[in-house]
Amino acid sequence: MPVYVFPCRIQQGLGEWVETARAVRLLPRAGYPLYHLRSALPQGESRRDPRAVPLDPSRKGTEPFPPVRALATPVRAPRAVAVVTWFGVTARRVDSAGDPMPGPLADRFERLREAHPEGLLVLSLEEFGTARTSREAMTEGLRQAGFTGEQIRQRLRTPGGTDHLRRYREAFRQARAGERDDVLHLFPEFSPSLPALREFPFALPIGPFSPPGDGLRPWRPSIPRRPLRVVWYASASSAPRLMAPLLDALGDLSRPVDLAVRPGPSWGPFVLPSARPRSVQVTGLAPEGRRRWEQRLRRADLRVVGGSQSLLEAISGSVPFLYFNGALSTPSGGSVGFRREKLLSFLRGSAHRPAERQVARDLRAFADLRGIPGVVRRAAGSPAWRSSCVRMERNAGKSFPVPLRVGERYVLRLIRAFEGTDEPVPRFVQRTRAWHRHALGAG
């Protein structure tokens, strides 16, 4: 049975490429050939939605794909599977209300459905950590707008707040194509949110897609005597706001520090503050090969990460980390972290002991650009803090039942199950969603 692969770049990042590569990497060894169907439209005509740009996995990219064969026409087969980034945005012409939704992959999916008359099962890889309730999503949005906890609670209790929740619920379902009975929407998470699954039964939480590597390395909580090695993947557009407070905090450690910074594309010219501590040696990294970058990460004593993939790699490497995905200024002059759902997913099922709850408070504060000196001092110099952080990392994903714990294994399980049945695609989707809810105890 053929499996078609359609990664798309959403906005600026390349996390979707990386995630798709990891999602399908077990399939060729299990006997499933991977294909990529090229567009039959003139160049550029299929890219009408500026949010999403299709990528060709048969070509070299930031993460190695398993072998993928590019095709001009679909293969001959009764049924097939398509793995795609954000189906609701990328692969349909109209939404559930019949309004135009010109996804850049829509023409290819129409051709696939014609080529596989007995059914095309779509596995839509949704954004990491975004399977949330409407209340959680609205709360975080109001928080980013500068509202405090009590202000948010009061706002959501009003009739207008209730109406906003209802509108969000409808809009989320429509934007994600939640009404489709031929699509399984997979939401990678560190910990499942059962309230979110009950509110959005189509949004199926699964464990993360694993980074490559040999698994967790042995962990020793002692602090090495050599200079502290800190690696910062500074991908956020507001990352320069963290530079000065981070340098000051590292300079207060009373020990030498080697800080390697890999700026993202939105950073602009990499310029260091003119006044910086002498004890901190800063190196700006140009793009480098995957192997060299992984070696640098493995040698790090502390990582500063953002988004989803660098966070996953830190957790897989069993390395203490701090999280910063950008920050917004509030009307009162403070800062709030931008798009923290990946971090919140990690914290949801991992902070149980008092020491771990301290780590959780510190991670939230650092993401908001608050209390930087104290957080960095504990993350760099406290064996108890560092041990608790690594213990939390090793518990990440364990709140999933075993069949759902490793994302790429679950993808393989779904494809094998689909190949092993002749039931119609809508029936298979319905049965899979019911099994998923039962496995998580969501009813």
Side-chain angles (χ1 to χ4, degrees), residues 268-345:
F270 183 71
V271 179
L272 292 173
S274 55
R276 57 184 185 272
R278 292 184 178 181
S279 60
V280 183
Q281 177 67 42
V282 184
T283 304
L285 302 177
E288 53 188 357
R290 182 77 191 180
R291 180 172 298 178
R292 187 173 180 183
W293 173 243
E294 289 175 348
Q295 290 174 349
R296 190 185 300 277
L297 292 176
R298 279 195 294 269
R299 293 195 300 265
D301 303 305
L302 177 66
R303 299 186 193 179
V304 182
V305 302
S308 57
Q309 300 311 317
S310 59
L311 174 59
L312 276 167
E313 289 162 1
I315 290 172
S316 175
S318 190
V319 177
F321 73 93
L322 296 171
Y323 185 88
F324 181 76
N325 193 42
L328 302 172
S329 298
T330 65
S332 62
S335 294
V336 293
F338 177 68
R339 297 296 306 276
R340 304 180 308 159
E341 60 268 13
K342 284 79 171 172
L343 175 63
L344 297 179
S345 175

Side-chain angles (χ1 to χ4, degrees), residues 86-215:
W86 293 23
F87 172 86
V89 171
T90 64
R92 55 181 177 162
R93 289 200 188 279
V94 296
D95 62 18
S96 59
D99 295 325
M101 190 79 177
L105 298 171
D107 67 298
R108 301 184 220 196
F109 271 73
E110 289 171 359
R111 291 160 60 204
L112 287 179
R113 290 189 182 92
E114 293 174 359
H116 305 292
E118 294 183 17
L120 177 72
L121 173 67
V122 179
L123 304 183
S124 179
L125 306 185
E126 305 292 338
E127 186 176 3
F128 196 105
T130 54
R132 304 172 292 175
T133 65
S134 54
R135 182 170 294 274
E136 288 170 337
M138 293 293 295
T139 297
E140 189 67 7
L142 290 170
R143 182 183 177 277
Q144 289 183 175
F147 291 90
T148 63
E150 183 56 33
Q151 289 173 330
I152 293 172
R153 286 188 288 273
Q154 291 178 357
R155 194 176 184 91
L156 292 180
R157 281 197 295 262
T158 65
T162 302
D163 184 58
H164 282 309
L165 292 173
R166 178 188 59 77
R167 291 169 60 192
Y168 176 88
R169 188 179 302 115
E170 294 172 354
F172 183 81
R173 184 176 185 273
Q174 185 158 313
R176 299 290 181 174
E179 80 287 349
R180 296 290 296 242
D181 59 7
D182 59 345
V183 180
L184 288 170
H185 300 78
L186 306 181
F187 286 75
E189 300 272 349
F190 289 114
S191 179
S193 169
L194 299 190
L197 180 58
R198 293 186 183 105
E199 184 173 6
F200 301 108
F202 69 90
L204 305 182
I206 64 172
F209 300 114
S210 308
D214 299 326

Side-chain angles (χ1 to χ4, degrees), residues 325-441:
N325 193 42
L328 302 172
S329 298
T330 65
S332 62
S335 294
V336 293
F338 177 68
R339 297 296 306 276
R340 304 180 308 159
E341 60 268 13
K342 284 79 171 172
L343 175 63
L344 297 179
S345 175
F346 169 72
L347 297 178
R348 184 164 56 226
S350 59
H352 305 295
R353 307 179 186 181
E356 294 167 356
R357 288 194 285 271
Q358 175 63 57
V359 172
R361 286 192 293 269
D362 283 346
L363 290 173
R364 289 191 186 95
F366 191 89
D368 287 341
L369 284 181
R370 292 185 290 106
I372 301 295
V375 175
V376 170
R377 183 172 62 252
R378 288 184 288 273
S382 167
W385 194 101
R386 293 166 62 81
S387 294
S388 296
C389 184
V390 170
R391 187 163 51 245
M392 293 165 65
E393 293 171 2
R394 292 184 170 180
N395 287 330
K398 290 186 178 179
S399 53
F400 281 102
V402 172
L404 297 173
R405 192 169 294 173
V406 181
E408 64 270 25
R409 293 180 185 170
Y410 183 62
V411 167
L412 176 58
R413 180 188 184 278
L414 282 178
I415 292 174
R416 281 175 167 164
F418 182 62
E419 186 182 38
T421 181
D422 58 0
E423 64 185 344
V425 174
R427 171 60 184 157
F428 179 81
V429 168
Q430 181 184 31
R431 184 167 58 84
T432 300
R433 288 174 177 169
W435 177 90
H436 202 109
R437 291 194 296 274
H438 175 76
L440 289 172

